[in-house]
Amino acid sequence: MTRIVRNIVLATALVAATGTAFAARQGEESIVRNPLAISMLADSSSAQAFMGQIDFKITNNSRDVLKVPYWQLPGASEESKLFQVYRNGKVATYLGPMIKRPAPTESDYVVFQPYETKVFSVDLSKSYDMGETGEYTVSFASVLQGARTGKGHRVADSMGRMASLKSATLKLWVDADNALKSLKVDVSAKGKPGSGGTNVNGVTYVGCSSTQISGAGAGVTQARAYTENAKGYLNGNNQGPRYTTWMGAYTSSRYNTVTGNFVKIDSAMDQSGGQIKINCGCNQNYYAYVYPTKPYEIFVCKAFWSASTSGTDSKAGTLIHEMSHFNIVAGTDDVVYGQSGAKSLAISNPDQAIQNADSHEYFAENTPFQN
């Protein structure tokens, strides 16, 4: 890529996430304090050195082997929304996919040996719109859900909650003559969108067999029932365990956000003129993914087909999860996955819970049932 940015203000970010193992109380899961530290920098060897790439160094400051799901590390930047990127104070559009993932398998882990440092090079221009002039600020933040030591001890913060890996902020100035504008990723080309398709009961299906159309169609029908029910619960100003389990402690502001989200999710799911597009072309082990800037195409993957129509992590719930990601719907993130992670997030950080796609899914599925 052509060198295109001048006058870089370089910030080196070092996260104070170090610590040593501490004993878990008897009868509880053994945990260790998060020993990972992260620093990031852009090449400043010349006045025009920045080319969209930032290098990250992550160090394991402990005697233990550490295992971290790859999608929680900077190297997964093209398939996870891990960065906060702003231009002149406004959010830079994320161009990559939002993926609903199953629990990690052994092959999903990146292994850090004791005191090992790994370097990750990230080209942010492939995942974020950085094609306009202005001052950009970049920071990294990831929840280390599922991170463990080689002996199976869970990595946690000092309070025993899910640990996080965060950087300080890097500032970059993009000049008017930058080449990123001409190299700007064409959002419309993202995701290999299907053309044409088959319209069945008001839903467009691309690359789907008759069996898949039947299964996904049942998921759509159930998803519509779920979102209608969720919307009705929230419109009734109910603040029972169903809400607090998934969204955390009640405040009127957070409650209004969740209510507004489900009004939009329900409206989007109710579309019956072919706007919803189910694309069956994904062969990954995910449940599904979408590109938030490209409503309303949902790419369904292997785990989707083995899921039940209703219930926890169902076809219906997956469609709600993915629908919530679209920027014109609720613009949710993937902060954590799974019921256990979502419950923990609701306790530790309700502000993140109301932005988490799985939290919306589990609220809608309401399995097991709660008032």
Side-chain angles (χ1 to χ4, degrees):
M1 186 183 294
T2 307
R3 294 181 175 181
I4 43 73
V5 181
R6 300 179 185 142
N7 304 325
I8 296 176
V9 180
L10 179 63
T12 300
L14 184 63
V15 173
T18 60
T20 56
F22 62 89
R25 284 170 285 185
Q26 188 173 1
E28 294 184 354
E29 181 182 24
S30 183
I31 56 180
V32 297
R33 286 186 62 180
N34 180 20
L36 292 177
I38 180 173
S39 62
M40 70 174 180
L41 54 90
D43 183 1
S44 60
S45 58
S46 72
Q48 302 181 44
F50 183 69
M51 298 184 292
Q53 181 168 298
I54 297 177
D55 291 332
F56 290 81
K57 291 183 179 181
I58 299 180
T59 301
N60 172 14
N61 291 307
S62 78
R63 300 176 182 178
D64 296 317
V65 172
L66 291 183
K67 299 160 62 178
V68 182
Y70 78 86
W71 57 78
Q72 297 167 6
L73 298 170
S77 63
E78 291 187 41
E79 58 175 77
S80 298
K81 189 179 178 182
L82 299 173
F83 298 88
Q84 289 74 52
V85 183
Y86 294 86
R87 180 181 65 85
N88 297 340
K90 296 183 178 180
V91 176
T93 302
Y94 172 68
L95 305 176
M98 301 293 290
I99 301 168
K100 176 173 169 62
R101 303 175 187 275
T105 62
E106 196 62 30
S107 62
D108 292 322
Y109 286 99
V110 175
V111 178
F112 289 82
Q113 297 299 324
Y115 305 107
E116 180 184 10
T117 296
K118 291 184 183 292
V119 178
F120 300 85
S121 294
V122 176
D123 186 348
L124 288 177
S125 67
K126 291 184 178 180
S127 302
Y128 296 85
D129 182 358
M130 300 181 70
E132 301 296 332
T133 301
E135 181 181 71
Y136 285 79
T137 59
V138 178
S139 59
F140 173 89
S142 175
V143 175
L144 299 180
Q145 182 186 15
R148 295 183 175 270
T149 69
K151 296 181 180 179
H153 303 318
R154 180 170 62 88
V155 175
D157 68 8
S158 60
M159 302 294 291
R161 302 168 301 193
M162 285 184 290
S164 59
L165 190 62
K166 297 180 180 179
S167 75
T169 300
L170 180 70
K171 294 183 179 180
L172 304 166
W173 178 261
V174 178
D175 282 341
D177 61 350
N178 80 84
L180 275 179
K181 190 167 187 177
S182 63
L183 294 171
K184 180 179 175 181
V185 177
D186 179 5
V187 178
S188 66
K190 281 282 189 179
K192 299 179 180 178
S195 58
T198 302
N199 189 304
V200 179
N201 296 326
V203 177
T204 302
Y205 296 90
V206 177
C208 304
S209 67
S210 58
T211 300
Q212 289 174 324
I213 290 173
S214 177
V220 171
T221 299
Q222 182 61 57
R224 288 169 173 165
Y226 275 155
T227 58
E228 186 66 30
N229 178 270
K231 184 179 69 172
Y233 177 99
L234 293 163
N235 284 340
N237 197 31
N238 293 297
Q239 303 164 27
R242 178 179 180 181
Y243 176 83
T244 57
T245 295
W246 304 118
M247 303 300 173
Y250 172 86
T251 67
S252 60
S253 176
R254 287 198 290 260
Y255 194 92
N256 289 339
T257 294
V258 178
T259 300
N261 286 350
F262 270 103
V263 168
K264 294 176 183 176
I265 295 168
D266 181 63
S267 178
M269 286 302 315
D270 281 347
Q271 295 175 109
S272 59
Q275 298 93 335
I276 299 172
K277 183 181 290 187
I278 307 294
N279 191 314
C280 299
C282 172
N283 292 314
Q284 299 290 337
N285 291 324
Y286 317 141
Y287 282 93
Y289 67 92
V290 298
Y291 288 89
T293 58
K294 289 178 72 331
Y296 298 91
E297 184 165 23
I298 300 173
F299 296 79
V300 292
C301 309
K302 289 182 178 179
F304 179 86
W305 300 116
S306 59
S308 60
T309 300
S310 61
T312 302
D313 291 315
S314 61
K315 288 184 176 71
T318 295
L319 295 173
I320 293 168
H321 174 121
E322 297 303 333
M323 187 64 76
S324 76
H325 278 318
F326 292 117
N327 292 341
I328 66 171
V329 181
T332 59
D333 290 331
D334 287 319
V335 183
V336 298
Y337 296 104
Q339 284 198 336
S340 177
K343 288 178 181 178
S344 295
L345 189 67
I347 295 169
S348 64
N349 197 327
D351 287 338
Q352 286 188 323
I354 66 170
Q355 299 297 331
N356 186 50
D358 255 2
S359 302
H360 286 72
E361 174 179 340
Y362 298 137
F363 178 85
E365 290 172 335
N366 196 24
T367 306
F369 176 82
Q370 296 184 98
N371 290 319

